[in-house]
Amino acid sequence: MANSRSQPNTPIAVGFQGGAMLGGYLWGMAAQIAEHWTNAEICVGGGTSIGGATAISLVKGLTLADKHPVLSQKRLVARQTIDDFWNQFSSYLQEKQNHVLADSLVHHALSKAEDLMRCWGTASISMLRIPTGGFMEGMSDSFRHASQFLNPQNHSLVGYSIMGRFLESSKIFDFDQIAGSMVGLFLNATDVSINTNPFSAAPHQEQIFSNRQHNRLWLPITQQAVEATGNLPYVEARPTQINERRYRDGAFVSNPPLLQLAAEADRQGIRDVVVLRTRPTNSLADERIMPPVTQNHTRAFFNGKTDDHVMEIARAFPKMRIWVIEPSRLEIDKDAGTDMQKVEFDYSSATLAKRRTIGFNAAAAAQKAFNDPQNRASGVYIVSSEEVRYLNPFVDRFAIARDATQGTARSGRGLLDARA
């Protein structure tokens, strides 16, 4: 584990992509790396949404392992900590699923009744304002409340953070322990304080949460930070509020926060950055959508930004090797079927066990590629249990269909800001 090896190991940074309960793939990947990558030293971690929570469980496991007196058991401690988080979280979801459904119905009824009352109230007040010339002002307020009622973004599943309630009840993370860990950790969220629609094409500011303080704008990692990085519209009614700012899921700006992860790796002289994906390139899963999100939103929300950022950091740090570990394309396409909405939130034990195995196998294949002396060249390695593909970041590109609405890779300015 971190800074406790009797022999030199290769330091690595690990980033976890978000993806709701597709995070089951991350579970298997993280467990395999923690226990079986015996020649790797995990020094930096980071993630978005469920990937952020999984990254915290990994850092927690590494921190506990450093204190374990038996050297041979250290990696098992780290693996067990990841298993504990996922077992408890999935059990919580299965136990509370009926409560979530009931809460959803109550939330819809109350929130829509509140909006209708506001529309009716402001319309009535506007009529009373006719003698004083305030009719148009009152009607404007009425139309504003009516638009809120009709806005699909306000049609959320529940009015609270499911992850937040789990963390509050389980107390599974000690955030003081995370703050003092030798392993650097980075989470991100999308600031929607000004541009309130996270799906809009207008740029959003990325908020970084970290146990490192290289940048005065970064915030510490707390329970609210974990809630913010996974705050999805259509699931949670309101953004997570921290220090008068409002945040939604970090995947709208970066999934995971690779720019900060790579910058921290560079600071520590780390040459290998490992990216754990919940969706493979060229997957049918990228064509399945969770209504009412469009296909373009879905592509950009997951692999589009990740592809761009992987190639960006590979060009910015030409001596690095970027290992993109992804579940088998054949397996995940079979998993997706025709109902992506069901796939995203399928937390049954059987499904999670299958995804954990697929992720475990992908990371095992990546370990072989990582140790292969033929793979010493810098660049991008895309690994699944089926194949290993190499990309030269200055020549090649990800083989994934793009259209004009997705745009191209961001300029280096974002990376320079991350390194500041």
Side-chain angles (χ1 to χ4, degrees), residues 288-339:
R288 311 289 190 237
I289 58 174
M290 184 178 69
V293 184
T294 67
Q295 287 190 4
N296 290 332
H297 285 149
T298 301
R299 294 191 189 108
F301 195 67
F302 288 96
N303 285 351
K305 285 187 174 68
T306 307
D307 294 347
D308 291 346
H309 291 170
V310 164
M311 300 304 274
E312 183 177 348
I313 63 176
R315 296 186 189 106
F317 302 105
K319 294 183 179 180
M320 281 188 178
R321 295 185 303 175
I322 316 300
W323 300 90
V324 180
I325 306 177
E326 56 186 32
S328 160
R329 284 178 287 175
L330 294 177
E331 292 288 351
I332 195 173
D333 288 340
K334 181 180 177 181
D335 185 21
T338 58
D339 190 350

Side-chain angles (χ1 to χ4, degrees), residues 63-140:
T63 304
L64 293 175
D66 273 339
K67 301 176 181 179
H68 198 280
V70 182
L71 183 62
S72 61
Q73 296 295 309
K74 287 180 178 291
R75 287 192 171 272
L76 189 59
V77 169
R79 157 73 183 266
Q80 187 60 52
T81 305
I82 298 168
D83 289 344
D84 286 346
F85 164 73
W86 269 99
N87 284 326
Q88 289 189 44
F89 183 49
S90 59
S91 296
Y92 176 85
L93 292 176
Q94 293 161 15
E95 177 186 347
K96 298 294 184 181
Q97 59 182 342
N98 292 331
H99 295 284
V100 170
L101 177 60
D103 290 345
S104 174
L105 295 174
V106 172
H107 166 66
H108 274 288
L110 292 179
S111 62
K112 297 310 135 188
E114 180 182 6
D115 287 339
L116 285 173
M117 289 298 292
R118 285 176 177 172
C119 292
W120 177 84
T122 51
S124 301
I125 292 174
S126 68
M127 297 297 293
L128 297 176
R129 287 180 176 176
I130 291 178
T132 62
F135 175 74
M136 294 306 297
E137 179 182 351
M139 288 304 295
S140 176

Side-chain angles (χ1 to χ4, degrees), residues 25 74 78 80 127 131 146 177 201 221 227 283 319 338 355 409:
Y25 299 117
K74 287 180 178 291
Q80 187 60 52
M127 297 297 293
Q177 179 190 66
I221 295 177
E227 295 176 20
S283 171
K319 294 183 179 180
T338 58
R355 291 177 182 168

Side-chain angles (χ1 to χ4, degrees), residues 14 53 95 98 105 139-140 166 180 183 195 201 203 221 252 288 316 337 342 378 392 401-402:
V14 184
E95 177 186 347
N98 292 331
L105 295 174
M139 288 304 295
S140 176
F166 164 70
V183 182
N195 183 3
I221 295 177
F252 289 105
R288 311 289 190 237
K342 178 180 179 181
S378 58
N392 182 328
R402 301 294 184 98

Side-chain angles (χ1 to χ4, degrees), residues 12 14 28-38 40 42 58 75 274 276 325 360 363:
I12 63 173
V14 184
M29 294 174 186
Q32 218 284 342
I33 291 173
E35 185 175 3
H36 298 289
W37 284 41
T38 55
I42 302 172
L58 173 63
R75 287 192 171 272
V274 180
L276 308 183
I325 306 177
F360 193 91

Side-chain angles (χ1 to χ4, degrees), residues 380-416:
V380 178
Y381 295 83
I382 306 174
V383 187
S384 71
S385 57
E386 298 170 1
E387 61 181 347
V388 178
R389 289 175 286 161
Y390 172 78
L391 297 180
N392 182 328
F394 297 98
V395 177
D396 303 318
R397 59 175 296 175
F398 273 90
I400 186 169
R402 301 294 184 98
D403 55 39
T405 60
Q406 287 184 263
T408 58
R410 297 194 304 157
S411 68
R413 180 179 298 275
L415 183 57
L416 294 177

